[in-house]
């Protein structure tokens, strides 16, 4: 299935490669912290690049988008990492692994495009259509590389289905490429749709990134085909170290904001390693909170139910200094029946705060805005900002745990062989 | 010398490839103009991204850096172009040309990095050391691709030398890679060092880009190995069309400024095609005005002679509305002997305006700032801004003409074979 140069096993090099990558990553993490501190006054005083922290009693200017500094250090370390790999490759004396270099270049290209898109978005506030075109286009090279890497578009069916359908594999063909393109677009926006409280964007990036890295390490030990997973691991380690440095400055109380730059960078990177590493389905398992949040948001995103401009939890500056659910209000008589149906279903599953009240002589209702952060607050009641971040990241970690369970335990119940 | 997959001749595809590229380029040029007009109010009112036009009587805010819009459209058209090439490649049924895809990806990666660096520089005003690190690192993949494309580091010696040295080729080895790295860094900054008057940055990009494209077309007809030159041509055509659209808005009187984004994008692109297309020496011939300007600037850049912060020609707002040479003044007795030597040499060749005068009882001198724009004004006297741009671009076009003469005519006098 795989071209020989990709599947060729060369454990002797693996330790050197990952070792060099770890060293680069540690330096990158240190430099990120250093540069962020150097750039804070430049952002604030010289260039007036800052945002307001919405969830604090006093209004403070926080430098934004500091994600660009971490992303810049990340790119530098990856650009330094390519020659290391290159020299190890030409040292072996065997045929040069063009396909591996292709994968690496396509991956870095996608990530760089993601960073550029994010930074331009931070500076120019792009329209939605621009934000969809770029991830779509820059994942095209990934799909092409996937194609020339063996073009596996088959899915193994669960064993109970196999006798039923009469075949063990189902070939999705072009559909599989459309699915992967969607994974790319989804991942690019996945981090961005859960944002706005201190630490939550980088927190997500760290938890998902660390989960994928752990998965890669497990697979390197389990499987013979170690290139895909060591490639993914080497792309992720400098990301984790620079993200960690960024997180230490972005967590409550935030000294810097990460901006869309971080969100697109992290999302594009995760999507890229998932597609090129051939584990896009496992990646989606690690993104369950993001997938849930997306599905939960759909009624508001497509305006089936009313959607205010900001859906962030509301900071109670005059009261308990905690975050409360933010609400969407609407007149009941003017609501479509589709909206009423959706609201009924969500209430049935206990996923919606709903309250009716009188206003100007007519009947109105309020519902919480459909984001996972508001949903957490529905269950827990008002929380301090740092507690909400902890609660969400706790859920994210728990979901990663479940994903591993699914991937390695439940899979045995469904399939004879789990790779 | 070249791996077979690179040198493989397939003229039947060439017309299709270049044809598709031309169509994409025309659309890209049209879209650039459209998007620039759409973004002008966003830059001015919403995001406060503008610069002041220094050479006009009234102070006006000009949206900057509009190069990012042209660069964005360029990237979109190149991302759409890869699949076209890809389908043509897999259609032929022969072995997939991994190396060509590698070249393409490395080239786009370098260009994207250049755009990102330029835009970040426009927003954050990076230090010089940051601006040198990035082009250096992002040209590393280019050098690696050059290596695996056959690693030709030999230079053919002129025929009169051959009998003298006893060999027809001299192998520069690693020195050649250092030279190519320098070409990358020089090109990235080449456009940026001649900047500041309406139209001059994009004008340079257009003249050099068009010269290289013409050179590529000539070589496609002359040589059998057409991939390198058709690759370069396909990278350049969308650049030329988007640049042309940008030039129409940036020429006197400028409605938009292009910013460092344009300069780094154009420079990195030219350097990339020169290195990967194996014609870096010819490329430097097209950049003679930039090379001259760099050499002429050295005494000020390295502070051998005094260097004021801005070296742009001075607009005479109260007088004749023309641009005059800008000056550096210094006290003669406090000047180093190195500075005096440099000034003497430059005056000997008629390359320097020099005037002594009395100030506060001691002897002072003024010299023109050492840029090619001031040097033109030394010979012509004060010029209107649009005339200075025309004069400089005229020189650039004349130099391109000389470069062709050099490359294809004088070369026959020095070598037996000219490729």
């Amino acid at each position: 299935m795989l071209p020989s140069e990709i599947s060729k096993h060369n454990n002797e090099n693996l330790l050197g490669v990952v070792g060099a990558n770890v060293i680069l990553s540690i330096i990158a993490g240190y430099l990120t912290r250093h540069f962020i501190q150097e750039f804070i006054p430049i952002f604030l005083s010289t260039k007036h690049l800052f945002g307001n922290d919405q969830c604090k009693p006093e209004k403070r200017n926080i430098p934004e988008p500091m994600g660009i500094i971490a992303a810049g250090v990340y790119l530098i370390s990856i650009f330094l990492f390519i020659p290391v790999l290159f020299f190890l490759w030409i040292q072996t004396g065997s045929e040069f692994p063009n396909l591996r270099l292709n994968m690496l270049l396509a991956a870095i290209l996608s990530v760089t495009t993601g960073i550029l898109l994010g930074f331009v978005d931070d500076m120019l506030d792009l329209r939605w259509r621009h934000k969809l075109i770029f991830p779509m286009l820059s994942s095209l090279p990934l799909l092409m590389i996937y194609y020339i890497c063996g073009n596996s578009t088959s899915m193994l069916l669960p064993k109970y289905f196999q006798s039923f359908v009469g075949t063990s594999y189902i070939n999705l063909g072009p559909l599989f490429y459309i699915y992967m393109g969607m994974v790319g677009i989804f991942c690019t926006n996945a981090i961005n749709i859960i944002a706005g409280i201190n630490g939550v964007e980088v927190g997500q990036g760290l938890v998902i990134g660390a989960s994928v890295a752990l998965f890669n390490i497990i697979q390197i030990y389990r499987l013979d085909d170690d290139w895909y997973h060591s490639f993914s691991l080497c792309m992720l380690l400098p990301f984790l170290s620079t993200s960690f440095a960024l997180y230490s400055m972005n967590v409550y109380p935030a000294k810097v904001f990460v901006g869309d730059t971080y969100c697109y960078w992290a999302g594009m990177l995760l999507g890229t390693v998932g597609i090129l590493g051939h584990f896009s389905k496992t990646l989606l398992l690690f993104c369950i909170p993001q997938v849930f949040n997306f599905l939960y948001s759909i009624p508001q995103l497509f305006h089936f139910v009313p959607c205010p401009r900001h859906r962030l939890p509301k900071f109670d500056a005059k009261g308990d200094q905690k975050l409360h659910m933010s609400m969407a209000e609407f007149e009941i008589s003017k609501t479509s029946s589709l909206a009423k149906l959706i609201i009924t279903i969500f209430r049935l599953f206990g996923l919606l705060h709903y309250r009716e009240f009188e206003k100007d002589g007519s009947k109105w209702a309020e519902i919480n805005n459909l984001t996972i952060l508001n949903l957490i607050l529905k269950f827990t009641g008002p929380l301090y900002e740092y507690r909400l971040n902890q609660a969400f990241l706790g859920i994210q970690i728990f979901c990663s745990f479940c994903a591993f369970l699914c991937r390695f335990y439940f899979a045995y119940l469904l399939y004879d062989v789990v790779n």
Side-chain angles (χ1 to χ4, degrees), chain A residues 165-216:
Chain A
V165 185
T167 172
S168 51
Y169 279 96
I170 181 167
N171 188 1
L172 296 176
L175 277 182
F176 196 77
Y177 286 91
I178 294 174
Y179 151 75
M180 279 194 300
M182 306 286 272
V183 169
I185 297 172
F186 173 76
C187 285
T188 312
N189 292 288
I191 310 277
N192 209 14
I193 48 179
I194 307 177
I197 66 171
N198 289 178
V200 79
E201 300 96 343
V202 196
Q204 288 172 77
L206 275 173
V207 175
I208 303 174
S211 306
V212 175
L214 183 61
F215 172 69
N216 293 145

Side-chain angles (χ1 to χ4, degrees), chain A residues 64-79:
Chain A
E64 184 180 14
M66 209 44 100
I68 189 67
I69 305 296
V73 176
Y74 173 79
L75 280 184
I76 291 175
S77 49
I78 285 287
F79 273 120

Side-chain angles (χ1 to χ4, degrees), chain A residues 38-299:
Chain A
E38 185 183 331
F39 271 93
I40 285 177
I42 297 175
F43 274 60
L44 285 179
S45 327
T46 325
K47 305 306 296 181
H48 303 286
L49 295 172
F50 47 73
N52 271 310
D53 200 336
Q54 306 285 331
C55 306
K56 301 287 181 298
E58 76 285 7
K59 288 276 162 269
R60 285 184 312 146
N61 290 333
I62 309 285
E64 184 180 14
M66 209 44 100
I68 189 67
I69 305 296
V73 176
Y74 173 79
L75 280 184
I76 291 175
S77 49
I78 285 287
F79 273 120
L80 287 172
F81 176 66
I82 316 178
V84 174
L85 257 188
F86 184 78
F87 281 112
L88 284 171
W89 283 337
I90 57 175
Q91 238 178 20
T92 63
S94 50
E95 209 197 337
F96 188 83
N98 274 318
L99 208 43
R100 293 189 180 189
L101 186 59
N102 263 333
M103 276 178 70
L104 208 59
L105 291 176
I108 304 173
L109 178 58
S110 285
V111 174
T112 311
T113 315
I115 296 169
L116 180 63
L117 176 70
F119 192 59
V120 172
D121 190 26
D122 273 322
M123 293 298 138
L124 300 180
D125 294 335
L126 296 177
R127 313 262 162 86
W128 264 103
R129 57 171 190 273
H130 303 145
K131 289 198 248 185
L132 289 182
I133 286 177
F134 253 98
M136 210 148 61
L137 291 178
S138 73
S139 57
L140 281 181
L142 303 180
L143 302 189
M144 288 184 266
I145 304 284
Y146 189 89
Y147 181 88
I148 57 178
C149 275
N151 182 24
S152 150
T153 55
S154 306
M155 266 175 85
L156 184 62
L157 290 174
K159 55 186 171 191
Y160 310 106
F161 276 91
Q162 288 179 10
S163 57
F164 190 71
V165 185
T167 172
S168 51
Y169 279 96
I170 181 167
N171 188 1
L172 296 176
L175 277 182
F176 196 77
Y177 286 91
I178 294 174
Y179 151 75
M180 279 194 300
M182 306 286 272
V183 169
I185 297 172
F186 173 76
C187 285
T188 312
N189 292 288
I191 310 277
N192 209 14
I193 48 179
I194 307 177
I197 66 171
N198 289 178
V200 79
E201 300 96 343
V202 196
Q204 288 172 77
L206 275 173
V207 175
I208 303 174
S211 306
V212 175
L214 183 61
F215 172 69
N216 293 145
I217 293 171
I218 294 173
Q219 294 296 66
I220 290 173
Y221 277 92
R222 286 183 67 231
L223 303 177
D224 258 2
D225 266 331
D226 61 342
W227 161 251
Y228 288 124
H229 291 283
S230 46
F231 154 78
S232 166
L233 186 65
C234 290
M235 292 292 291
L236 283 173
L237 289 179
F239 166 73
L240 290 176
S241 69
T242 48
S243 289
F244 187 76
L246 193 57
Y247 186 73
S248 71
M249 317 276 288
N250 179 238
V251 76
Y252 181 93
K255 290 187 226 35
V256 302
F257 281 165
V258 298
D260 292 340
T261 312
Y262 181 82
C263 301
Y264 286 114
W265 164 37
M268 191 67 103
L269 176 63
L270 293 168
T272 298
V273 297
I275 291 173
L276 287 187
H278 289 60
F279 55 86
S280 56
K281 282 159 282 173
T282 309
L283 174 67
L284 286 183
L285 279 182
F286 291 125
C287 293
I288 284 173
Q290 284 69 29
V291 174
F292 173 83
N293 183 67
F294 174 65
L295 296 175
Y296 186 57
S297 294
I298 283 179

Side-chain angles (χ1 to χ4, degrees), chain A residues 22-35:
Chain A
V22 167
I23 294 169
L24 271 173
S25 302
I26 293 169
I27 299 172
Y30 171 80
L31 283 181
T32 302
R33 220 184 135 81
H34 170 82
F35 281 127

